Amino acid sequence: MTKKRVEAVDPEKNLIKFRVIEGDMMKDFKSFVSTIQVIPKHGEPGSVVKWHMEYEKIIVDAGHPETILQLAVEISKDIDEYLLAEE
């Protein structure tokens, strides 16, 4: 389980930024911040979701957080399903 704190919400840019503050991730990372932005496609239905992740490892040789990338894909798909159901 991970506890996060929302650091920024920008409705005009469809952007949200949050910081991990507790949980297993904090064993490997000194800090971990994610930004999600949804950008509507021009001239066609749908949007593009951009994820930006900033992190600082506690141990330089610790692995990269590839599992987080898979989580981002799964969350993006869930958001897509939700938005399509709302139409």
Side-chain angles (χ1 to χ4, degrees):
M1 183 77 130
T2 301
K3 186 174 181 180
K4 297 171 267 324
R5 178 180 63 224
V6 174
E7 294 201 332
V9 176
D10 187 339
E12 290 182 17
K13 293 182 179 179
N14 297 324
L15 181 139
I16 186 167
K17 182 177 185 177
F18 57 92
R19 176 180 301 276
V20 175
I21 57 173
E22 289 181 15
D24 291 340
M25 288 182 67
M26 301 313 292
K27 293 176 186 173
D28 295 324
F29 300 99
K30 190 176 203 178
S31 65
F32 197 98
V33 178
S34 294
T35 304
I36 305 168
Q37 184 175 21
V38 180
I39 303 163
K41 291 181 179 179
H42 296 286
E44 59 182 290
S47 297
V48 174
V49 177
K50 289 188 175 185
W51 285 80
H52 179 81
M53 297 179 197
E54 299 174 45
Y55 57 89
E56 183 179 352
K57 299 177 195 178
I58 291 174
I59 300 169
V60 177
D61 295 336
H64 292 283
E66 285 89 8
T67 56
I68 302 300
L69 296 176
Q70 183 57 37
L71 177 64
V73 170
E74 291 171 17
I75 291 172
S76 296
K77 287 179 181 179
D78 289 344
I79 292 169
D80 186 49
E81 282 182 37
Y82 173 79
L83 292 174
L84 289 174
E86 293 290 312
E87 291 182 352

